[in-house]
């Protein structure tokens, strides 16, 4: 237990090489997400506009720049949907599975464990010895071991997102020909909107590694499983260290 107690100090033990691989994966994916749209804008907008200006075609540079920008935005949307998002999903899920395997092999067995890949991958556990173990982007993919006296507060927060689907009804024409001409009358179609509210829950854990040190916050997402988030919060509030 002394070794585990040391891991809850200000500097948690660095796990390598798997966490180095996860860190490298996240950094690589973030670079792709940052530079992919920029590269498309440069190729389809900046280069043609610059070329037109160098040839003295200011009007074409302005008109062509606007047209090429719209085309570039369309290309970015298509590439993001067909390539970027599936790539991020695949690589982040694999990284989350790697972190979960590490959680499963902790020196203390876990009573509760979870992994996630949305935004950035991460994993966490509550051990039988009374520790909360977190490894995610905010910990730079180190394993952070928190004892009960280092946890200041744990709360469950909710975020609501409203999705609206609008459908247009048909139109009815009485009399006349050619869609209501020559005395015909057309009744306007009705639109119908259906709104769906999706609530997602996340657990905020505020912790303090040193006495009088800064209070930091880690966030564990639970998606739509609010009950599981509440169970984690209640478990953390009742943590007791086992010698």
């Amino acid at each position: 237990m002394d070794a585990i107690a040391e891991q809850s100090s200000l500097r948690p033990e660095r796990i390598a090489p798997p966490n180095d691989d996860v860190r490298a994966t996240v950094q690589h994916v973030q670079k792709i997400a940052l530079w992919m749209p920029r590269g498309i804008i440069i190729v389809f907008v900046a280069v043609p506009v610059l070329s037109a200006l160098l040839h003295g075609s200011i009007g074409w540079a302005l008109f062509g720049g606007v047209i090429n920008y719209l085309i570039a935005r369309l290309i970015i949307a298509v590439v993001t949907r067909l390539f970027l998002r599936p790539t991020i999903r695949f690589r982040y899920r694999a990284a989350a599975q790697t972190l979960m395997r590490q959680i499963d092999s902790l020196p203390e067995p876990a009573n509760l464990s979870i992994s996630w890949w949305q935004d950035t991958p991460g994993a966490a556990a509550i051990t039988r010895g009374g520790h909360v173990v977190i490894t995610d982007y905010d910990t730079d993919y180190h394993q952070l071991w928190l004892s009960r006296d280092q946890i200041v507060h744990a709360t469950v927060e909710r975020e609501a997102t409203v999705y609206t689907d609008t459908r247009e009804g048909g139109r009815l024409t009485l009399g006349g020909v050619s869609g209501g001409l020559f005395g015909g009358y057309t009744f306007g179609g009705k639109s119908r909107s259906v709104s769906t509210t999706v609530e997602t829950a996340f657990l905020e854990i505020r912790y303090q590694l040193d006495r009088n040190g800064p209070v930091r916050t880690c966030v564990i997402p639970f998606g739509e499983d609010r009950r599981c988030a509440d169970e984690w919060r209640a478990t953390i509030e009742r943590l007791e260290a086992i010698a």
Side-chain angles (χ1 to χ4, degrees):
M1 295 301 296
D2 291 340
I4 294 175
E6 290 177 0
Q7 293 186 40
S8 59
S9 62
L10 181 58
R11 297 178 181 177
E13 291 296 326
R14 186 168 182 267
I15 308 298
N19 284 17
D20 288 345
D21 292 342
V22 171
R23 187 187 302 109
T25 295
V26 172
Q27 292 173 349
H28 186 241
V29 168
Q30 289 177 335
K31 287 181 180 179
I32 293 176
L34 176 65
W35 287 104
M36 182 275 292
R38 293 183 179 182
I40 293 175
I41 292 294
I42 290 173
V43 171
F44 286 88
V45 181
V47 172
V49 168
L50 181 60
S51 177
L53 290 175
L54 291 176
H55 288 81
S57 302
I58 299 178
W60 170 248
L62 295 176
F63 177 76
V66 172
I67 298 301
N68 286 356
Y69 177 77
L70 296 176
I71 295 174
R73 296 299 301 180
L74 178 61
I75 294 174
I76 290 172
V78 172
V79 172
T80 298
R81 181 172 183 178
L82 298 182
F83 169 74
L84 186 59
R85 288 179 183 172
T87 299
I88 292 175
R89 188 181 303 115
F90 175 78
R91 299 191 66 179
Y92 277 7
R93 278 180 173 173
Q97 290 173 358
T98 297
L99 297 175
M100 195 62 185
R101 286 194 294 268
Q102 294 178 10
I103 290 294
D104 291 338
S105 61
L106 291 175
E108 288 182 357
N111 285 328
L112 294 173
S113 61
I114 187 175
S115 66
W116 60 92
W117 61 268
Q118 295 85 350
D119 294 333
T120 53
I126 299 177
T127 72
R128 296 179 186 176
H131 292 89
V132 177
V133 184
I134 303 167
T135 173
D136 64 358
Y137 184 82
D138 291 331
T139 69
D140 198 27
Y141 295 102
H142 299 166
Q143 278 190 357
L144 179 65
W145 288 67
L146 298 175
S147 59
R148 180 63 188 92
D149 58 357
Q150 291 175 312
I151 297 175
V152 179
H153 193 46
T155 58
V156 175
E157 302 293 340
R158 292 183 300 172
E159 186 177 87
T161 303
V162 179
Y163 299 93
T164 302
D165 180 22
T166 302
R167 298 181 180 180
E168 297 291 339
R171 302 173 67 86
L172 176 64
T173 301
L174 298 179
V177 294
S178 301
L181 296 177
F182 307 111
Y185 184 79
T186 301
F187 293 90
K190 294 183 179 180
S191 61
R192 180 183 179 185
S193 296
V194 178
S195 297
T196 303
T197 301
V198 177
E199 286 191 351
T200 56
F202 51 93
L203 178 66
E204 287 189 352
I205 302 175
R206 291 178 174 83
Y207 61 93
Q208 187 178 38
L209 296 176
D210 282 345
R211 291 184 178 180
N212 302 323
V215 175
R216 298 180 174 89
T217 304
C218 71
V219 178
I220 301 177
F222 284 85
E224 298 180 41
D225 196 348
R226 169 66 185 269
R227 175 178 293 183
C228 187
D230 285 330
E231 291 173 352
W232 271 66
R233 177 191 56 78
T235 302
I236 290 173
E237 289 178 350
R238 296 179 60 83
L239 278 181
E240 295 182 6
I242 298 177

